[in-house]
Amino acid sequence: MSRRLKAFLVAALGALVLVTGGTGASAESGWWVATSTPTPESEVNATGEPMRGTGPGGEVSGFIDAHTHMFMDLGMGGNAVCGSTWSEKGVADALKDCDRHGVSILENLTNSGAGRGPLDAHDTVGWPTFKDWPTYSSFTHQQMYYKWVERAWRGGQRIMVNDMVSNPGLCPILGVIAGPNKYSCDDMDTVRRQIKATYDLQAFIDRQFGGPGKGWYRVVTTPEQAREVVADGKLAVVLGVEVSEPFGCKQVLGAPQCTKADIDRGLDELQGKGVSSMFLCHKFDNALCGVRYDEGTAGLLVNAGQFLTTGTWWNPATCREGEVADNTVIGGVLPSEIASVPGLPAVLPVYPKGPHCNPRGLTELGEYALRGMIKRNMMVELDHMSAKAAGRALDILEAEAYPGALSTHDWLSTAYMDRLYGLGGFATQYGHTATEFATQWRETKPLRDKYGVAYGYGTDMNGFGGTAAPPEDGAKISYPFTGVDGTVFDRQVTGERTWDYNAEGVPHYGLVPDWIESLRTLAGSAIVDDLAAGSESYLQTWGATSDFQPGANLAREAIASASSTEWNLLTDLKPGRAIDGKLSTRWASKYGQDDAWFQVELLSVRPVSKVTIEWESAYARQYRVQTSLDGKQWRDVAVVGSGNGGLDTVKFAPSSARFVRMQGVERATRYGYSIKEFGAFS
């Protein structure tokens, strides 16, 4: 019997109705085992009851993957990933032969582990043989089939953030080289489609476990719901968004294509659908922010997509001394297969010497969107923002004392991590090889210990980033092994294929437990314990974000005065302009006065512990923050000795004050001092 005929017959069997029984070869029974599944179906190869309950303080336990793309097969026009996450007909239908995928230019260009040329063929048959896919180095084949995710849950994972994802620049490219596209390339259409699929999968799994609410896969929209699900021993699935043009906010030749009204409508829609976290930009410079570039061949492809969707290439500059760098990008000649896409020139720009910094930061619309997320108590993903944009975003979050800051797959510069944790934010590490992950865990642990924060991973599964390669000898594991909660795991089997982590790394999500066992083998129980506390740390950040209420800015109802005011024929620069809540207005002192000051008189004596200053380009290099009860006797509560402009947040021990002042010491420019907004907070 030929392989194709055999695959056809198995697929036909897969179309039969659900049958009663356990999963795969297991005869295990219990609340954690399905009472009916499609047949045939993938095995889970795990035995034992999942851990339930909470600790003595009500804390939950379990691993968290804070960055996945479970439904990438529905993104980028439907041609980026071959194979579906699930099917009513079962695995034979979901993971069938990849039509028109024998010569996949995208697969060959991105799969460095395969060693194929751009036009080389690979075996496209999925179920039941899976000869050439999925593998750890392939970006274009399904890695998150739901039974594989079930095995990860059985391995102790209790939270999974499912980021809805697409890319409107790569989508039309795929429509040419792998198309025609099945779906719209519009990012928001994709988000809606993938959110619906997430809920549809929940219903599908519920039917296997006895009805609504019975399944292990639970979509959650609040931290309280997530805590209940984790305590119940199930998998809490959080909805996130990672697209390049949220709310249609692309830019063309630098001009924004969305409005503040579009942003408000979009955020309201996402909030209504239960989305809890999102990225403001991803891969392309958009109307909201500049991006942190991709490196190497991946960067070349993404840069081509940027050109197609915006009309501009990335525009990196050589970083100045002291600037936080973005990734260094390459120019040169595009592969002929990509250059054949209509609208693309054959040659990319020639770029200056690295390290590269993206000069595009957080735009005015981006700041509006960020503040809109704060208003709606949504968590902000800082990964993929340019260093300039991320720095400005952190300035705003610090000024608001907003805890909802996330970095979930190693795209935020390490220079910003102390600030993220200082806010109460949470970070997870990319799912690298066990050796690399353990090394980074050790290197970053002192900072997390400083803030009492645990760890997690962001596999970016199905996200064009690659998964963990086969382990080094010291990280190899023995089968069967026992997971964190006593569940026993053997090698994972799907159809005729048996996957062995030692030889294949993490080709699909079902081998995440094997990878964690590899981490334990390599680094001991301490790393597993740290990861098992990750769900609790994430929920503390989410809970604080959900409960956040902005502090009252005492300066808004105060009386402003200053040592001097610059005269301007065209605009009013009086002190009151710095407390009117508008960044479009400002106070400015006269030229050339280092000792100029600005102050507010509060309505009554209040405890003050924080001052925020949004500087115009004329800022102070050195200044003192002072308080007074009578406006005559002043006390220095903070000294800033190396100001760099932008948005300053100055914290100090609470001080009773009726007056709060910025006392200039040294100007940074030849002008005076100029403040857009001054804030004082208890």
Side-chain angles (χ1 to χ4, degrees):
M1 182 184 296
S2 73
R3 183 171 59 197
R4 287 186 178 276
L5 178 58
K6 183 176 182 180
F8 173 79
L9 292 176
V10 172
L13 287 172
L16 296 178
V17 297
L18 295 176
V19 297
T20 301
T23 300
S26 173
E28 187 181 30
S29 62
W31 65 267
W32 60 94
V33 179
T35 57
S36 60
T37 62
T39 185
E41 187 55 281
S42 172
E43 299 180 28
V44 177
N45 308 106
T47 305
E49 181 175 1
M51 177 176 59
R52 308 173 85 171
T54 61
E59 68 277 6
V60 298
S61 180
F63 307 132
I64 174 173
D65 187 342
H67 196 104
T68 72
H69 302 293
M70 198 168 184
F71 296 96
M72 173 64 97
D73 57 296
L74 302 178
M76 297 195 195
N79 287 307
V81 168
C82 171
S84 301
T85 307
W86 65 284
S87 170
E88 294 278 2
K89 301 175 183 178
V91 64
D93 182 64
L95 302 181
K96 58 189 176 185
D97 188 2
C98 296
D99 297 340
R100 298 175 286 106
H101 200 258
V103 177
S104 172
I105 296 170
L106 181 64
E107 165 70 13
N108 293 336
L109 286 176
T110 58
N111 190 346
S112 58
R116 290 190 289 263
L119 298 178
D120 289 345
H122 66 277
D123 192 310
T124 64
V125 175
W127 174 272
T129 57
F130 299 101
K131 179 178 181 296
D132 276 358
W133 66 272
T135 68
Y136 77 91
S137 59
S138 173
F139 299 171
T140 67
H141 299 95
Q142 180 61 249
Q143 294 180 293
M144 295 195 73
Y145 184 63
Y146 84 101
K147 295 301 286 187
W148 299 338
V149 177
E150 181 177 345
R151 178 178 160 95
W153 160 63
R154 294 286 295 274
Q157 187 169 312
R158 292 296 178 266
I159 297 178
M160 182 180 76
V161 180
N162 177 31
D163 285 318
M164 316 305 144
V165 68
S166 193
N167 188 297
L170 298 183
C171 182
I173 294 177
L174 293 175
V176 173
I177 66 176
N181 283 333
K182 305 172 187 175
Y183 309 114
S184 161
C185 287
D186 181 84
D187 272 349
M188 296 308 291
D189 285 348
T190 301
V191 167
R192 297 178 189 106
R193 183 164 54 248
Q194 292 180 347
I195 289 176
K196 180 179 183 301
T198 306
Y199 282 102
D200 287 347
L201 175 58
Q202 176 179 257
F204 174 66
I205 294 173
D206 278 353
R207 291 196 292 274
Q208 297 183 30
F209 282 78
K214 298 292 185 66
W216 54 270
Y217 183 95
R218 313 306 316 153
V219 181
V220 296
T221 60
T222 68
E224 293 78 18
Q225 289 176 357
R227 280 194 177 278
E228 292 175 3
V229 167
V230 175
D232 203 29
K234 298 182 179 182
L235 181 69
V237 180
V238 183
L239 303 180
V241 169
E242 183 186 31
V243 295
S244 294
E245 297 174 1
F247 328 128
C249 284
K250 67 186 297 181
Q251 55 93 8
V252 177
L253 300 178
Q257 305 297 299
C258 68
T259 65
K260 292 179 178 179
D262 294 327
I263 292 169
D264 283 330
R265 280 192 297 270
L267 286 173
D268 287 343
E269 179 184 1
L270 294 184
Q271 184 180 42
K273 291 182 179 296
V275 171
S276 300
S277 60
M278 70 169 292
F279 295 74
L280 291 179
C281 51
H282 173 236
K283 299 304 183 184
F284 303 151
D285 295 340
N286 63 18
L288 306 178
C289 49
V291 294
R292 196 172 191 208
Y293 306 124
D294 283 75
E295 299 178 291
T297 301
L300 184 149
L301 292 172
V302 176
N303 201 359
Q306 154 112 3
F307 182 85
L308 284 177
T309 191
T310 70
T312 59
W313 300 103
W314 285 335
N315 185 35
T318 301
C319 297
R320 297 190 298 268
E321 184 177 356
E323 280 190 296
V324 177
D326 295 305
N327 292 321
T328 300
V329 300
I330 60 174
V333 179
L334 283 169
S336 59
E337 297 81 11
I338 302 301
S340 65
V341 174
L344 273 179
V347 180
L348 278 76
V350 176
Y351 290 122
K353 180 181 179 181
H356 286 158
C357 281
N358 189 341
R360 190 176 181 88
L362 201 62
T363 68
E364 180 183 349
L365 284 174
E367 294 195 16
Y368 184 83
L370 176 62
R371 295 183 187 280
M373 293 181 68
I374 294 172
K375 179 181 178 182
R376 294 165 178 82
N377 299 83
M378 297 174 70
M379 290 181 286
V380 181
E381 289 271 12
L382 298 173
D383 286 7
H384 288 299
M385 284 186 182
S386 68
K388 183 177 181 180
R392 175 62 180 176
L394 284 165
D395 287 345
I396 293 171
L397 297 176
E398 287 166 343
E400 297 286 348
Y402 190 71
L406 301 175
S407 171
T408 55
H409 64 334
D410 275 352
W411 272 86
L412 182 67
S413 171
T414 56
Y416 291 138
M417 294 308 297
D418 196 292
R419 297 176 66 184
L420 178 140
Y421 286 128
L423 284 165
F426 182 73
T428 55
Q429 181 187 322
Y430 192 89
H432 300 294
T433 61
T435 300
E436 186 176 354
F437 190 95
T439 298
Q440 191 169 331
W441 167 74
R442 293 189 187 95
E443 291 173 349
T444 57
K445 195 171 190 305
L447 180 60
R448 292 194 309 280
D449 287 347
K450 172 183 174 181
Y451 290 101
V453 180
Y455 215 29
Y457 46 87
T459 61
D460 200 15
M461 196 75 76
N462 275 356
F464 281 70
T467 50
E472 299 176 0
D473 287 344
K476 290 186 176 179
I477 65 177
S478 298
Y479 290 98
F481 64 88
T482 302
V484 65
D485 58 359
T487 299
V488 177
F489 293 85
D490 207 339
R491 292 173 179 82
Q492 201 283 315
V493 178
T494 303
E496 299 175 9
R497 187 78 156 80
T498 301
W499 275 280
D500 188 321
Y501 168 80
N502 295 323
E504 301 175 88
V506 182
H508 63 67
Y509 211 72
L511 272 75
V512 168
D514 311 54
W515 174 73
I516 292 174
E517 171 66 8
S518 178
L519 292 173
R520 187 199 63 78
T521 301
L522 186 66
S525 60
I527 191 170
V528 179
D529 292 343
D530 203 0
L531 290 171
S535 286
E536 176 62 34
S537 280
Y538 174 82
L539 290 177
Q540 287 182 10
T541 293
W542 191 7
T545 304
S546 180
D547 293 340
F548 173 79
Q549 293 182 350
N553 183 353
L554 304 177
R556 285 289 167 81
E557 297 181 349
I559 300 170
S561 59
S563 59
S564 64
T565 298
E566 176 191 340
W567 182 85
N568 189 297
L569 177 64
L570 301 177
T571 188
D572 179 358
L573 300 176
K574 292 179 180 178
R577 293 294 197 172
I579 58 171
D580 62 3
K582 301 175 183 177
L583 293 179
S584 58
T585 61
R586 62 189 176 95
W587 160 78
S589 69
K590 290 181 179 180
Y591 283 25
Q593 296 180 343
D594 279 321
D595 62 348
W597 51 261
F598 172 92
Q599 71 182 39
V600 292
E601 179 183 357
L602 307 181
L603 294 179
S604 61
V605 175
R606 299 290 298 274
V608 178
S609 61
K610 183 177 76 172
V611 161
T612 61
I613 304 176
E614 179 78 64
W615 295 99
E616 196 253 352
S617 57
Y619 65 94
R621 179 172 286 114
Q622 297 184 49
Y623 64 94
R624 300 193 300 270
V625 176
Q626 301 176 320
T627 60
S628 173
L629 292 172
D630 58 8
K632 298 177 182 179
Q633 300 295 318
W634 294 91
R635 174 189 173 206
D636 288 348
V637 292
V639 177
V640 177
S642 56
N644 59 3
L647 175 56
D648 285 354
T649 298
V650 186
K651 297 180 180 180
F652 43 87
S655 175
S656 294
R658 178 71 184 268
F659 299 84
V660 184
R661 171 185 286 189
M662 184 289 298
Q663 173 64 64
V665 176
E666 180 187 355
R667 292 166 294 124
T669 72
R670 64 186 178 89
Y671 305 103
Y673 301 116
S674 185
I675 296 176
K676 294 180 180 180
E677 276 296 303
F678 183 93
F681 301 85
S682 293

